[in-house]
Amino acid sequence: MSDDIITEDAVQIDTNSTPVVGQSAADSFITIRFSTAPGALSSLVLNAGSNVNDAMSAAGIDTSRVKTILVNNIVGESNNTLADQDTVVVALHGAKGN
């Protein structure tokens, strides 16, 4: 028999920790819009609680080239925590337009 039991009320009982109430897989992830400037806008799925650094890492951005970060059209920092449906635009040093 498993140590973890899931009930209909979405209460997880783990014999080794305290219960987690109402936690679902959907609550564990966020989807953001991400772009480098210039560049195409894409979607990224990240763990809930992720920050701009996590998004840049997921996108494969060389953080040493970051010039400016915008989060929802407001100048941001690499440690800004992101929320579901945020938009992140990262301008890079040395980026060339089309």
Side-chain angles (χ1 to χ4, degrees):
M1 183 184 260
S2 172
D3 289 337
D4 296 335
I5 301 169
I6 305 295
T7 68
E8 287 183 36
D9 296 324
V11 175
Q12 180 177 348
I13 301 170
D14 182 344
T15 58
N16 300 318
S17 65
T18 57
V20 177
V21 179
Q23 183 76 27
S24 71
D27 295 333
S28 300
F29 300 100
I30 60 172
T31 302
I32 66 161
R33 292 171 295 281
F34 184 91
S35 180
T36 56
L41 189 64
S42 60
S43 292
L44 294 178
V45 177
L46 305 169
N47 291 320
S50 292
N51 61 27
V52 173
N53 260 338
D54 299 323
M56 290 188 296
S57 177
I61 301 299
D62 176 2
T63 56
S64 68
R65 294 186 55 214
V66 173
K67 180 178 179 180
T68 306
I69 297 169
L70 296 176
V71 178
N72 300 323
N73 293 323
I74 299 172
V75 175
E77 301 283 332
S78 61
N79 63 353
N80 286 129
T81 301
L82 299 171
D84 195 42
Q85 301 304 311
D86 278 350
T87 299
V88 177
V89 177
V90 177
L92 303 175
H93 289 287
K96 305 232 187 290
N98 295 339

